[in-house]
DNA sequence: CGCACAATTCAAAGCGCTTTGAAACGGTAA
DNA sequence: TTACCGTTTCAAAGCGCTTTGAATTGTGCG
């Protein structure tokens, strides 16, 4: 059995109160006493029991997140990358996560349970859908939270961090149109997720402004993996009027799309242009593609770190301010975009 | 403020004891009483406070893991995939994780803290090194743990789950040799990690048996990303005597290697053969490569699920049995391997 | 010399739950 | 009737910590 406060106090001939205060940096403790306590801690390897601490203070030093997972559901690299960002920041404040795996259909329940459990000080929500009931629920929970992304049809009167998805794909599409492209495909994430909806919106807007129509036959929605990227592109290329350019919602999907293009013996940047959204995944850099990829960029990891930081500061100094951030993305032109074929 | 046991008991005109027992399925509670309690719980939305529960029982319902992360350290897809496996299993038992981010150099400390905190019932260790001090530490901690991987120079008298890395790369190398390859490169993970060491060992053994020598100039160790795969392959190809075949420790690295090969205008499976270890990452399937990849396969996610399952059963029924599992890998031949050039 | 006051320290209550040991109750055997 | 028993319920202790309110000591000053 390891040492606890009581024993430690006995050993030192002090009361638990004093020892506790010495450890938690209260000013009313004699400097010398504090030193004695600290060195005793070092000798015995004493660590406060977090559960007890939590019960006593009500604070947990942890951030709760729901991890969407179930048998048969593929893991998402993007989730991992975001987590890395959260972690990077949390480690600096000695916070940890309570990762609650949950089947997607139980998520709402899981959130409730997590909040009520007293296990976490704050919650974090991702994979936002257009009209997401989980947000109303979070608001009712009286525990700080930050949403990554934001709803569409609903009032956005809650703290969030989102990137300007509409703007990103608007700019990207505009660039393609300027380059003379008229038929542009879209390989997107799941259609019920708001980032996907907004990206499409941005694209549609740019098309509209130029008198072009969005062609549903050149549109794909799915989990963002290499494989779906490949299949989507393959399908596009089989179209009687194949696109001369394609927008991809992730470099992971772009990977598959590129493969399909190569297999069709087309040249990227010449026969067909491609722009992908780059979440800055370390394992897959756009500049390292055979033909370096033009991208709209925004670091997912940085977003994670920022969310963690906001959550943590919100915990230490509760406030009702509804912080909202909308990050711009960068449009970085590399070799995968070029003038539409038969033009120049 | 939400309902707690005391209030609930008052409302029902029962003692806390009875309510608690009713909820935890003790037999000595009148069936009717139990029903009353359960419906009251439903109405009030009562959730037991986990911290209190934990303090009282000493059990936490959670698995602790240390997430190696820090600013400037890239996240690892493989970690995410393993986590997905852990999650898949944990969700079925209503367990959750305490994810403690930690800078790699603090990991030992973090483990200690985690164990002492009372926050977790079990620990999990990955990224094992040849002679890993963390294992001795875990053993001294008197908390169940499972290691993913296993040490090399140390006695392996602790519970682990590992795959037969040596065997995997031994077989793979043998296949290449049978196909006539004499110069084989190795693109591996970090050199201090045991899986990398063992894979190299397997390769060396097969070479040895055929009178071939391992050439350090055709060997690369690093984090397993696309980019390093590319650079390594590029370097190999610049060698005065480039390899005719290459072994990759991950499909992610293979991705880069393939790119380098393409860029050099060589044909995979003809000019150069490639075999990669496949962790079954959903975002990157070997059969979807331009030239489908021959692989040694073992699902990282399945390993995660298995580790979780063992950890959980170990928690519910403590035992001293030291379970050890060594999973065989499958060698799956696809189009990326062919006879050595100038032979056949 | 005695009192007010700051500096330290302490005992005890309380956080919300589980669990031990005892009590209450009706029924049954003696 | 009394003793005994199984069933069901309860009061109270305790998990390890924080925090409140009081006690103790030392100091400066009138």
């Amino acid at each position: 059995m390891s040492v606890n406060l009581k024993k430690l106090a006995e050993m030192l001939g002090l009361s638990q109160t004093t020892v506790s205060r010495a450890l938690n940096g209260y000013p009313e403790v004699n400097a010398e006493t504090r030193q004695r306590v600290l060195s005793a801690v070092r000798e015995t390897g004493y660590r406060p029991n977090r559960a007890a601490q939590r019960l006593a203070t009500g604070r947990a030093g942890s951030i709760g997140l729901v991890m969407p997972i179930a048998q048969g559901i593929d893991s998402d690299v993007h989730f991992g990358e975001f987590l890395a960002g959260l972690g990077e920041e949390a480690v600096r404040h000695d916070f940890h996560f309570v990762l609650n795996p949950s089947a997607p259909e139980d998520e709402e329940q899981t959130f409730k349970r997590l909040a009520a459990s007293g296990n976490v000080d704050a919650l974090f929500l991702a994979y936002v859908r257009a009209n997401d009931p989980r947000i109303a629920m979070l608001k009712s929970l009286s525990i700080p939270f930050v949403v990554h992304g934001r709803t569409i049809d609903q009032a956005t009167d809650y703290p969030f961090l989102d990137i300007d998805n509409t703007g990103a794909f608007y700019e990207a599409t505009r660039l393609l149109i300027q380059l003379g492209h008229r038929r542009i495909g879209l390989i997107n994430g799941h259609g019920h997720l708001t980032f996907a909806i907004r990206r499409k919106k941005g694209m549609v807007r740019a098309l509209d402004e130029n008198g072009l129509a969005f062609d549903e036959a050149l549109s794909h929605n799915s989990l963002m993996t290499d494989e779906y990227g490949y299949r989507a592109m393959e399908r596009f290329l089989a179209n009687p009027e194949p696109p001369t350019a394609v927008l991809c919602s992730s470099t992971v999907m772009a990977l598959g799309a590129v493969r399909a293009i190569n297999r069709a013996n087309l040249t990227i940047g010449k026969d067909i242009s491609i722009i992908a959204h780059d979440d800055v995944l370390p394992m897959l850099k756009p500049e390292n593609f055979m033909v370096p990829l033009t991208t709209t960029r925004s670091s997912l990891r940085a977003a994670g770190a920022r969310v963690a930081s906001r959550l943590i500061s919100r915990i230490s100094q509760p406030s009702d301010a509804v912080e909202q951030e909308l990050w711009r993305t960068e449009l970085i032109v590399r070799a995968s975009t070029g003038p539409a074929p038969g033009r120049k």
Side-chain angles (χ1 to χ4, degrees), chain A:
Chain A
M1 210 67 270
S2 61
V3 208
N4 57 21
L5 226 211
K6 195 172 168 189
K7 283 192 205 146
L8 192 67
E10 270 170 20
M11 291 174 60
L12 286 163
L14 288 169
S15 73
Q16 297 189 38
T17 312
T18 305
V19 177
S20 170
R21 289 200 162 133
L23 289 174
N24 294 315
Y26 281 64
E28 64 265 49
V29 175
N30 187 313
E32 191 198 337
T33 309
R34 189 185 308 262
Q35 285 316 313
R36 280 213 304 139
V37 170
L38 289 179
S39 67
V41 165
R42 233 168 288 125
E43 277 169 35
T44 57
Y46 167 78
R47 293 281 163 199
N49 178 316
R50 286 278 202 172
Q53 220 165 20
R54 170 172 320 170
L55 185 56
T57 59
R59 268 172 288 120
S62 69
I63 294 175
L65 39 144
V66 171
M67 170 184 188
I69 196 77
Q71 226 162 355
I73 292 193
D74 281 344
S75 73
D76 185 352
V77 230
H78 304 87
F79 181 81
E81 182 65 9
F82 189 86
L83 203 57
L86 282 173
E88 169 190 323
E89 186 67 19
V91 69
R92 296 169 45 192
H93 299 270
D94 200 24
F95 266 64
H96 60 253
F97 304 109
V98 173
L99 238 192
N100 218 311
S102 162
E105 62 272 21
D106 296 336
E107 269 192 38
E108 220 170 315
Q109 276 308 313
T110 307
F111 266 116
K112 270 196 194 150
R113 209 161 35 212
L114 208 50
S117 74
N119 253 334
V120 302
D121 295 324
L123 286 170
F124 156 72
L125 172 66
Y127 297 103
V128 180
R129 289 165 226 145
N131 198 312
D132 204 314
R134 296 173 301 170
I135 291 186
M137 200 212 53
L138 281 177
K139 283 199 273 188
S140 73
L141 245 37
S142 73
I143 179 173
F145 70 94
V146 170
V147 175
H148 183 215
R150 67 194 199 281
T151 45
I152 291 189
D153 300 327
Q154 243 165 309
T156 52
D157 55 344
Y158 47 86
F160 68 74
L161 168 64
D162 199 1
I163 64 172
D164 182 8
N165 285 299
T166 314
F169 271 39
Y170 171 77
E171 297 293 348
T173 308
R174 234 179 38 153
L175 173 64
L176 291 173
I177 294 175
Q178 285 166 356
L179 288 169
H181 295 276
R182 292 294 170 267
R183 281 188 66 69
I184 305 176
L186 174 62
I187 302 181
N188 210 345
H190 269 306
H192 54 86
L193 300 176
T194 58
F195 78 84
I197 297 174
R198 286 213 169 77
R199 287 182 190 171
K200 175 173 173 183
K201 196 167 105 187
M203 177 170 171
V204 168
R205 179 180 303 163
L207 290 173
D208 264 5
E209 290 180 3
N210 291 273
L212 298 170
F214 181 85
D215 186 348
E216 289 294 344
L218 298 184
S219 169
H220 168 94
N221 291 285
S222 73
L223 186 67
M224 303 198 288
T225 71
D226 161 80
E227 184 164 13
Y228 285 116
Y230 179 81
R231 288 205 214 148
M233 194 69 219
E234 202 174 33
R235 178 161 68 76
F236 291 178
L237 293 177
N239 191 289
E241 279 187 85
T244 63
V246 161
L247 255 48
C248 270
S249 259
S250 161
T251 48
V252 180
M253 297 193 101
L255 195 63
V258 163
R259 200 151 32 85
I261 295 172
N262 286 335
R263 174 156 294 170
N265 277 317
L266 298 173
T267 305
I268 291 178
K270 203 163 138 249
D271 300 321
I272 188 159
S273 289
I274 180 166
I275 300 183
H277 180 73
D278 176 21
D279 292 300
V280 196
L281 305 177
M283 57 145 289
L284 204 57
K285 303 192 178 169
E287 58 267 37
N288 289 338
F289 276 60
M290 278 284 283
V291 177
L293 232 48
T294 295
T295 58
T296 57
R297 181 171 70 185
S298 182
S299 164
L300 202 50
R301 180 160 170 173
R306 176 67 185 146
V307 165
S309 144
R310 279 178 51 185
L311 244 19
I312 291 172
S313 77
R314 178 62 64 110
I315 291 168
S316 29
Q317 316 158 9
S319 118
D320 289 333
V322 174
E323 275 186 284
Q324 305 186 327
E325 289 176 66
L326 193 62
W327 288 8
R328 296 200 60 86
T329 61
E330 305 168 274
L331 178 57
I332 298 174
V333 178
R334 299 196 184 80
S336 70
T337 41
R343 183 160 183 281
K344 164 74 172 291

